[in-house]
Amino acid sequence: MYIIPKEELDRIESQVKPVYLENINKLVEQGITSALGQIGTKLQFSDPQLEDWCQKIGNGLLNCKSDIYYKSITGALPYQLMEIYEKIKQNYNCTINMRSRRGNLFGNKGWNQARKEIELGKAKKFLEKCFPYSKFTSKDEEYDAYRYCKEMNFKVCVYCNAQLTHAVIRGRQKKIRPQIDHFFPQSRFPMFALSFYNIIPSCQVCNYIKGDSYCELGTIYHPYMDSQADIRFIWHHKKLWVSYGSTIARNTAEMLHTEDIYNMYEGVAKKIVEKVQDYDAAYIEEIMDVMNKHRPKDEKLNKETLIRKIYDYVPREECFDTPLGELRHDILVDKLNKAYNMALAHKNRK
């Protein structure tokens, strides 16, 4: 996983977030009003207390003084979403009959996941109408998932740093966009389906792998909230390895199957290593001398520039926008450092 750079987050929060919330809040307010109007007609329950529950939570979402006001939900940070969820569990939970047992709508890990429970599904449908994610992704709205992804401008998946995730809009034609992952899964937290910090453009593979896994803040990296991901790629004994500097890094990599995904790119790492072996530190010095021999003083190439040209070096700050940028950076830096240390040691011995 690649954590989004701070300057990129600053751009997103100052330019993308305000436009998103302005449009999404209109969509959500319409959704809540429409859902409340469908109680007893399109939304009918065998258990009358569920109708009361829908009315109560719908009114709470529209009340700007309530602890679950919809504008607070759509703009809340991840930890704030969990605080809101705790309030929902405490003040808006509901116990219903589920076949031979009684069960709550909300549990410790989100919406009750009991399968084939008709009444449970109807109640969940109410929340899905209040936060109409399907309209956001339908292409019918003026502001939708295509425009959002275009403005987010993530070129590479933040989870795997391998697959492209760009959006293409030509005139009125919405051609392609990345998938959108919900950090707190939509199936478990339907009320957070359109929360700005809960939707993350991602590639199809990562979105499928992550699925509806429950993600607990502090145990899994959040790409918008964490400052760095302590995951590194190493070439050792002719094999690509993934190194974890912390428990949260390992948990995240295991959830996203990072090792399995990067097994497919072992050949890329091998070519990087072979290139360093073919063009070692001594070669770099010779090339730099030749290329700088007749250059004006202010145009001479430094070692970093030359290395970048020869090895297609990706600086850490550019990994975010470069497919396999992390792998290429980590492997190349490791091998170049070792190559230069060996060269310097050999020179000192002479």
Side-chain angles (χ1 to χ4, degrees), residues 80-287:
Q80 293 172 328
L81 288 176
M82 287 296 96
E83 291 174 354
I84 291 171
Y85 181 70
E86 288 302 316
K87 292 174 182 176
I88 292 174
K89 276 203 310 178
Q90 294 170 13
N91 303 324
Y92 297 89
N93 215 338
C94 183
T95 302
I96 64 172
N97 288 316
M98 293 191 294
R99 299 185 182 181
S100 59
R101 61 188 178 87
R102 301 278 285 174
N104 293 325
L105 296 182
F106 302 103
N108 291 330
K109 296 184 178 181
W111 187 263
N112 193 307
Q113 296 290 292
R115 304 299 180 188
K116 299 180 180 178
E117 184 60 48
I118 296 175
E119 293 294 283
L120 187 66
K122 288 181 181 179
K124 185 179 180 182
K125 190 72 174 177
F126 175 80
L127 287 178
E128 291 172 344
K129 287 179 178 293
C130 291
F131 298 91
Y133 180 74
S134 58
K135 285 190 175 182
F136 177 61
T137 58
S138 68
K139 290 188 179 183
D140 296 331
E141 301 293 322
E142 182 178 349
Y143 183 95
D144 60 7
Y146 285 83
R147 184 175 165 191
Y148 158 78
C149 290
K150 182 75 173 177
E151 293 178 353
M152 288 294 280
N153 196 31
F154 288 179
K155 297 179 177 64
V156 184
C157 177
V158 297
Y159 288 135
C160 67
N161 191 232
Q163 300 292 326
L164 293 173
T165 53
H166 58 288
V168 177
I169 302 175
R170 293 179 180 172
R172 295 183 179 180
Q173 293 185 323
K174 299 166 182 177
K175 293 289 187 180
I176 191 172
R177 66 168 175 83
Q179 293 198 2
I180 296 177
D181 172 65
H182 290 82
F183 185 82
F184 301 121
Q186 185 181 2
S187 61
R188 295 174 180 267
F189 301 91
M191 69 293 291
F192 301 153
L194 290 171
S195 297
F196 183 77
Y197 291 99
N198 196 44
I199 59 175
I200 302 167
S202 67
C203 73
Q204 182 178 9
V205 173
C206 288
N207 193 33
Y208 178 82
I209 288 175
K210 186 169 172 292
D212 66 350
S213 301
Y214 173 69
C215 297
E216 185 176 352
L217 289 172
T219 63
I220 300 293
Y221 283 130
H222 191 296
Y224 297 169
M225 296 291 105
D226 292 288
S227 59
Q228 62 179 359
D230 199 0
I231 298 174
R232 295 291 179 266
F233 298 95
I234 301 170
W235 183 265
H236 187 61
H237 291 314
K238 299 182 179 181
K239 183 174 175 60
L240 179 64
W241 302 84
V242 184
S243 171
Y244 315 106
S246 63
T247 302
I248 188 173
R250 182 176 292 277
N251 290 342
T252 304
E254 288 178 354
M255 180 187 70
L256 296 172
H257 293 238
T258 300
E259 290 191 22
D260 294 328
I261 289 175
Y262 272 84
N263 280 339
M264 298 184 293
Y265 300 109
E266 190 167 273
V268 175
K270 183 179 179 182
K271 288 180 180 178
I272 293 171
V273 174
E274 290 174 346
K275 195 168 188 178
V276 174
Q277 292 171 345
D278 291 340
Y279 305 103
D280 61 12
Y283 175 85
I284 294 292
E285 298 287 350
E286 292 175 7
I287 291 296

